Amino acid sequence: MACFERASPALKEILLRLYRNERAIDADHHLHEFGSVEYYIQSLVSDPDHTYLSVSTPILSQAFLISTRLSHYTIEKVKAISAEVVEIVQPPKEGYQLTLRLNFARMSHGKESIKMITDIAAVQGVILSSQLEEMLMNVNSQDVAQGMYKPIKLVYHPREPFYVIKQPQKITAVFPMRFKEKTDVIIATAFFQELMDVANTKACAKAPHCIWSPIPPPELRGEAIEDLSTNGGFVSFDITSRHIEGKRLDKTVWNLLNFYAFVKNHVKSTRGFIQRRMRTCLKRQVEVLQKTGLQDDQHIKAVKGHKRMRKLVNFTKFKILRYRSDFTSKLKRIRSRLKIHGFSRFRRKWLSFPTFSSKTKYRKLEKDISLQHD
């Protein structure tokens, strides 16, 4: 299911709007919801006392429920909403499985009217729950007696099928888990392991036994490979007779139909929580760095004395390392044999050695040597 509430929020809002209108109006509303669910709401000025609601929902199991029409058990469940306000129209509107005629004039005012409209808006949940209840109650007992536990494939959404296997002492529901992102697989796997550990404790002894496995359970042997190809493993719940007795049956069935939505909601909430914690930690680290910078600035302003001392205090470790590397590079540049443009002129002008005059005169040896050779 797309949400944990049984009533459709959009359908409830439209029905409340039509109920609160003082005058009858012509209205046609088409609603499409998760799981290929479609609603059609029609109100006519020519028939001001009635509002028509048509519902189209997929069949959970084509192999078990051959006919697309609703069974007698499901129709009785729908009639139980309110015999005075809700009336089933036969045959239903073309393209829909169920059409209801709603008489708002018979509805009491106040909080009871809102509760009644909420129950009507949950008609799709009533249909799905009744289908699963009927399948669990009408599984062929001969196959069970012979040990042939054939799994029933239930498809509420094409990408989210699950299986129900009825055995002599229990009913096993198996959910193949698939996720698009790797982070979702990690979060879901940790959740399944924790769920399995908690469900098997003494505090949860009355809860269904939970098992998570990365490989398909033996009960699904022989099923299609594409249905068993998962990246999140398989979650199994063992449902005993005490979980489906009386009013517990409806609650158990509803929890099974909402298990995929519950897991998705948990993964989404956990991912958002982790992201918020990361942003909070990053914000705290930035605040610490900013406070440290402000304290350094205040310390530098508080230092009094010689100008060079204040300048030395203002140096940070990064600046000292940078200046040290710059000074080293300057030394290497001076020591290297590189021709610097204009340096020769500077050397002649400022680095030339002074000339000294001497009274002692010397004779050049070159001339004497040349005379000797002659």
Side-chain angles (χ1 to χ4, degrees):
M1 299 295 291
C3 58
F4 298 112
E5 297 182 0
R6 301 198 179 201
S8 171
L11 178 59
K12 179 180 177 180
E13 182 181 357
I14 293 175
L15 293 178
L16 284 174
R17 194 185 308 164
L18 294 176
Y19 168 71
R20 292 169 179 172
N21 285 336
E22 297 180 357
R23 296 182 302 174
I25 58 173
D26 290 331
D28 287 323
H29 298 278
H30 289 270
L31 295 178
H32 297 270
E33 290 188 349
F34 175 81
S36 302
V37 181
E38 183 179 356
Y39 299 102
Y40 176 61
I41 306 98
Q42 186 180 23
S43 176
L44 301 175
V45 177
S46 58
D47 190 5
D49 296 333
H50 300 97
T51 299
Y52 295 89
L53 171 62
S54 300
V55 185
S56 175
T57 182
I59 301 298
L60 284 179
S61 178
Q62 296 292 344
F64 191 85
L65 299 175
I66 301 176
S67 177
T68 57
R69 294 184 178 180
L70 300 180
S71 63
H72 177 73
Y73 180 81
T74 303
I75 292 176
E76 292 299 324
K77 283 281 187 179
V78 174
K79 288 181 178 179
I81 298 175
S82 177
E84 297 180 358
V85 179
V86 179
E87 181 183 357
I88 298 178
V89 178
Q90 294 291 351
K93 187 176 179 63
E94 185 178 358
Y96 297 88
Q97 298 166 337
L98 178 67
T99 300
L100 303 179
R101 184 187 292 113
L102 308 178
N103 191 345
F104 290 150
R106 297 180 181 179
M107 192 179 301
S108 58
H109 299 280
K111 294 183 179 180
E112 295 183 0
S113 61
I114 298 177
K115 183 180 180 300
M116 180 62 61
I117 291 178
T118 303
D119 294 339
I120 296 173
V123 62
Q124 194 260 346
V126 174
I127 295 173
L128 288 178
S129 299
S130 61
Q131 288 180 4
L132 184 54
E133 292 174 8
E134 189 175 6
M135 279 185 280
L136 295 180
M137 292 185 298
N138 295 332
V139 174
N140 193 343
S141 59
Q142 294 180 0
D143 292 345
V144 174
Q146 296 175 3
M148 299 172 59
Y149 310 126
K150 187 176 180 181
I152 303 173
K153 182 180 178 181
L154 307 179
V155 183
Y156 173 59
H157 191 274
R159 292 176 295 179
E160 297 178 354
F162 65 99
Y163 297 87
V164 174
I165 305 101
K166 187 169 183 180
Q167 301 177 7
Q169 301 297 330
K170 62 181 180 180
I171 299 173
T172 303
V174 183
F175 295 86
M177 307 306 301
R178 299 176 180 86
F179 303 94
K180 294 182 179 180
E181 300 181 4
K182 294 182 179 179
T183 55
D184 294 348
V185 176
I186 296 173
I187 296 174
T189 302
F191 169 69
F192 295 149
Q193 292 175 350
E194 184 178 358
L195 180 64
M196 183 173 58
D197 295 338
V198 173
N200 297 330
T201 58
K202 293 182 179 180
C204 301
K206 296 182 179 181
H209 183 68
C210 178
I211 301 174
W212 175 82
S213 175
I215 60 176
E219 291 84 1
L220 298 184
R221 188 174 301 169
E223 296 296 324
I225 298 177
E226 56 271 14
D227 294 337
L228 304 181
S229 300
T230 64
N231 57 359
F234 297 81
V235 181
S236 303
F237 293 98
D238 293 337
I239 302 171
T240 59
S241 57
R242 64 181 177 185
H243 297 134
I244 57 176
E245 290 178 352
K247 296 181 179 180
R248 295 180 181 178
L249 175 61
D250 184 65
K251 184 177 181 180
T252 301
V253 169
W254 185 252
N255 290 336
L256 292 177
L257 292 174
N258 282 274
F259 181 72
Y260 277 120
F262 177 77
V263 173
K264 287 183 177 180
N265 182 72
H266 175 79
V267 171
K268 183 178 179 180
S269 301
T270 305
R271 187 172 60 246
F273 174 76
I274 294 173
Q275 293 174 355
R276 288 193 300 271
R277 288 293 301 271
M278 292 176 64
R279 287 194 296 265
T280 303
C281 293
L282 180 60
K283 184 178 179 180
R284 290 177 180 176
Q285 293 176 0
V286 171
E287 290 177 355
V288 171
L289 293 175
Q290 290 177 351
K291 290 180 180 179
T292 305
L294 292 175
Q295 292 176 359
D296 292 341
D297 294 341
Q298 293 176 359
H299 180 66
I300 292 169
K301 292 179 181 179
V303 173
K304 295 181 180 180
H306 199 269
K307 182 178 180 180
R308 293 182 179 178
M309 186 63 185
R310 293 198 301 271
K311 189 175 181 181
L312 180 62
V313 174
N314 194 23
F315 285 169
T316 61
K317 186 176 180 181
F318 174 75
K319 290 183 178 180
I320 293 172
L321 294 175
R322 188 180 65 181
Y323 290 154
R324 186 180 298 174
S325 62
D326 293 344
F327 181 73
T328 305
S329 61
K330 288 180 181 179
L331 288 178
K332 291 181 179 179
R333 196 182 310 156
I334 294 173
R335 290 166 55 186
S336 61
R337 297 180 181 179
L338 298 176
K339 185 177 180 181
I340 302 174
H341 182 70
F343 185 76
S344 58
R345 188 185 306 170
F346 175 82
R347 185 179 59 185
R348 287 195 304 268
K349 186 175 181 180
W350 298 101
L351 301 179
S352 60
F353 293 94
T355 56
F356 299 94
S357 60
S358 178
K359 294 180 179 181
T360 306
K361 295 181 178 180
Y362 298 93
R363 187 178 59 182
K364 291 183 179 181
L365 296 178
E366 294 179 358
K367 292 182 179 181
D368 297 339
I369 295 173
S370 62
L371 291 173
Q372 290 178 4
H373 285 287
D374 293 337

